[in-house]
Amino acid sequence: MSLPHAILTALLEKPSSGLELTRRFDRSIGYFWSATHQQIYRELGKLEEAGHIRALPAAQPTRGQKKEYEVLPAGRAELTAWVGRTEDPKPIRDALLLRMRAAAVVGTEGLEAELRRHLSLHERQLTEYLDIEKRHFPPERDSVEDRLRHVVLRGGIDLERFWIEWLTQALRELGG
């Protein structure tokens, strides 16, 4: 249910075409709520049907022109209501954790290499998040909106640090 809300959020930040939304997802929202190009386009159609968004009128109609969407009052109301709802955290569902549990039963062959690969991926992601923080959140950016966006990024930074520490410990336990 959260993809439509992610799209509404992105469109309220800036009216965009489906392609622009996909690119913006790859650079921001996608770090914590990913979606494919097809999922975004499918959801745009549903949001338009529900009266939550509309395609902006084109300056001059041309065939094949990309549609740019904006959020309508009903979409803003839906997003506002969703922000205020309660929702329990989702249980963790992680293949690596399951693999480690399975390794306790069938053996650890190949597990160390996979743990090292994951460690490297998390180290790279942490570096990327820290670069984003440096570029986009200088101390003088102190509006409520900036602080909220920054706290989301810091959540990602903290999660990457957690995974790096946890994977390092798991490798030590494995003897690697």
Side-chain angles (χ1 to χ4, degrees):
M1 185 61 182
S2 293
L3 179 56
H5 299 103
I7 291 171
L8 287 170
T9 299
L11 288 175
L12 279 168
E13 290 174 341
K14 180 181 181 226
S16 305
S17 69
L19 181 58
E20 289 165 338
L21 273 175
T22 301
R23 288 180 180 146
R24 288 176 55 213
F25 262 70
D26 289 345
R27 291 188 319 264
S28 61
I29 290 174
Y31 287 120
F32 54 90
W33 197 268
S34 62
T36 66
H37 187 76
Q38 292 84 3
Q39 289 171 314
I40 289 171
Y41 272 95
R42 192 169 39 247
E43 205 57 53
L44 283 169
K46 290 177 187 176
L47 287 167
E48 194 170 22
E49 265 181 45
H52 291 162
I53 65 171
R54 73 174 179 126
L56 292 169
Q60 46 185 330
T62 57
R63 202 160 176 257
Q65 183 178 8
K66 63 184 179 183
K67 290 186 198 175
E68 194 166 277
Y69 295 92
E70 71 174 355
V71 177
L72 295 171
R76 179 180 281 277
E78 168 56 29
L79 187 59
T80 300
W82 180 75
V83 166
R85 286 186 204 133
T86 60
E87 188 174 313
D88 293 338
K90 300 286 182 228
I92 293 175
R93 188 175 173 177
D94 189 285
L96 182 61
L97 297 175
L98 183 57
R99 274 194 187 122
M100 290 184 70
R101 182 71 183 250
V105 178
V106 299
T108 61
E109 188 173 328
L111 185 60
E112 182 179 342
E114 182 65 351
L115 291 173
R116 289 191 185 287
R117 188 178 77 78
H118 275 253
L119 178 59
S120 175
L121 292 170
H122 286 287
E123 288 169 338
R124 278 196 302 250
Q125 189 64 63
L126 176 59
T127 298
E128 187 173 341
Y129 284 165
L130 291 171
D131 288 344
I132 290 169
E133 183 178 44
K134 193 179 294 180
R135 278 192 320 269
H136 295 287
F137 297 100
E140 62 274 7
R141 284 189 72 176
D142 196 35
S143 69
V144 171
E145 295 83 1
D146 285 331
R147 288 196 310 267
L148 285 173
R149 288 182 187 108
H150 194 189
V151 82
V152 170
L153 177 61
R154 284 197 315 259
I157 289 168
D158 290 347
L159 282 171
E160 294 307 325
R161 286 182 172 146
F162 161 80
W163 280 113
I164 290 166
E165 182 181 327
W166 184 84
L167 286 159
T168 301
Q169 179 185 355
L171 284 162
R172 272 196 306 270
E173 295 294 330
L174 221 90

